[in-house]
């Protein structure tokens, strides 16, 4: 067994009690005994609602979902904060959410996480209506996914409140660079890259294989994609 694996096991053992509690609180016994969800430095604000593991390949194994482990040193090593007030969180396969992550799910809302989901650190996911991630998504430092602005405005002419929330639907193979903000009602196509600090609104262009950025979001470059696992700059 290599040193990295030994360190990982030691970190898991430090929080084995809340990990066991979480798995047996949310999952059926046939899944829970495998401890498929492993937590590091968990902070439980509310443990209502449901959690389901429905992998696309049907395979359930230990630590297939990891939440709170330190990945990026420039963010606090503060683990995972969990607030489920009565919604549902679904994992479709392997998922990693790094340090300083906050997951908040409102009553009746669903956060659906596609297979091979990875967020590095500082992600804030707030689902009051519903947030769905496709498969093979990557989320950089300090990104926010927020499907409600929480403060609806009142139209004094029409004498009615304006829409303030809407479900988010993220396509497959999306990559969000650091500090992106994805707002309510957003739908993205597959294989999109969102540059540093992009504010993604409902006006997101419906075009794949491109880099988007800015506020309002616009296409910056076309016919490009990220190759997962190839993150070094080539000599050419």
């Amino acid at each position: 067994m290599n040193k990295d694996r030994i360190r990982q096991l030691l970190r898991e053992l430090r929080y084995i009690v809340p990990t066991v509690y979480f798995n047996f609180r949310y999952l059926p016994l046939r899944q829970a005994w495998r401890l498929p969800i492993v937590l590091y430095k968990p902070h439980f604000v509310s443990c209502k609602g449901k959690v389901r593991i429905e992998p696309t390949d049907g395979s359930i194994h230990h630590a297939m979902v990891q939440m709170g482990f330190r990945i990026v040193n420039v963010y606090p090593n503060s683990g995972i904060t969990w607030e489920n007030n009565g919604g549902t969180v679904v994992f479709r396969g392997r998922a990693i959410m790094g340090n300083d992550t906050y997951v908040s799910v409102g009553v009746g809302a669903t956060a659906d996480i596609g297979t091979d989901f990875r967020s590095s650190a500082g992600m804030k996911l707030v689902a009051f209506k519903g947030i769905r991630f496709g498969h093979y998504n990557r989320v950089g430092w300090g990104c926010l996914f927020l499907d409600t602005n929480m403060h609806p405005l009142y139209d004094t002419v029409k004498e009615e409140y304006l829409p303030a929330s809407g479900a988010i639907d993220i396509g497959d193979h999306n990559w969000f660079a650091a500090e992106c903000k994805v707002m309510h009602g957003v739908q993205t196509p597959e294989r999109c890259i969102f540059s540093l600090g992009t504010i993604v609104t409902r006006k997101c262009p419906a075009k794949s294989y491109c880099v988007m950025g800015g506020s309002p979001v616009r296409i910056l470059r076309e016919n490009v994609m990220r190759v997962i696992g190839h993150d070094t700059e080539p000599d050419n």
Side-chain angles (χ1 to χ4, degrees):
M1 185 179 293
N2 61 41
K3 292 182 179 179
D4 289 340
R5 181 54 181 159
I6 292 173
R7 293 192 189 98
Q8 176 73 10
L9 289 174
L10 290 175
R11 287 193 292 265
E12 290 182 21
L13 288 173
R14 286 182 63 187
Y15 296 96
I16 188 64
V17 172
T19 290
V20 170
Y21 164 77
F22 191 90
N23 281 269
F24 282 87
R25 161 67 182 83
Y26 278 116
L27 302 178
L29 183 61
R30 67 180 184 279
Q31 295 179 349
W33 71 271
R34 299 177 183 270
L35 301 183
I37 302 173
V38 177
L39 308 175
Y40 181 70
K41 290 188 176 181
H43 305 274
F44 297 137
V45 177
S46 177
C47 287
K48 299 176 182 178
K50 301 177 181 178
V51 173
R52 302 202 310 267
I53 296 183
E54 300 177 355
T56 54
D57 62 0
S59 174
I60 295 178
H61 55 84
H62 173 67
M64 63 184 295
V65 176
Q66 301 175 30
M67 296 191 288
F69 289 90
R70 173 182 275 179
I71 296 177
V72 176
N73 291 330
V74 298
Y75 276 76
N77 186 23
S78 54
I80 172 79
T81 300
W82 179 268
E83 182 184 19
N84 188 339
N85 292 307
T88 302
V89 180
V90 183
F91 293 101
R92 303 290 178 182
R94 181 172 174 80
I96 295 176
M97 299 179 182
N99 48 299
D100 194 32
T101 291
Y102 198 108
V103 176
S104 178
V105 184
V107 177
T110 298
D112 194 321
I113 314 297
T115 189
D116 200 17
F117 174 90
R118 300 191 184 193
S119 64
S120 57
M123 181 183 73
K124 305 297 182 279
L125 191 158
V126 182
F128 276 52
K129 288 293 185 179
I131 299 178
R132 189 194 75 87
F133 289 92
H135 304 309
Y136 314 109
N137 280 292
R138 296 294 184 269
V139 177
W141 310 348
C143 289
L144 169 68
F145 297 87
L146 178 65
D147 68 359
T148 175
N149 66 23
M150 298 185 183
H151 306 289
L153 300 179
Y154 185 75
D155 189 319
T156 58
V157 175
K158 295 182 179 180
E159 297 184 340
E160 62 184 18
Y161 282 97
L162 302 175
S165 60
I168 295 173
D169 194 339
I170 305 299
D172 297 342
H173 295 278
N174 277 205
W175 175 27
F176 297 88
E179 304 295 336
C180 286
K181 296 175 176 59
V182 182
M183 309 309 293
H184 62 277
V186 163
Q187 294 184 342
T188 69
E190 65 175 5
R191 294 195 182 275
C192 288
I193 299 169
F194 296 91
S195 64
L196 177 74
T198 300
I199 299 177
V200 191
T201 66
R202 283 172 285 184
K203 295 182 180 180
C204 175
K207 188 175 182 63
S208 299
Y209 294 98
C210 63
V211 177
M212 302 185 195
S215 177
V217 61
R218 64 189 185 279
I219 295 175
L220 304 178
R221 185 163 185 171
E222 299 185 47
N223 304 315
V224 291
M225 61 178 284
R226 179 184 178 185
V227 179
I228 298 299
H230 191 95
D231 291 320
T232 56
E233 187 172 358
D235 293 337
N236 61 354

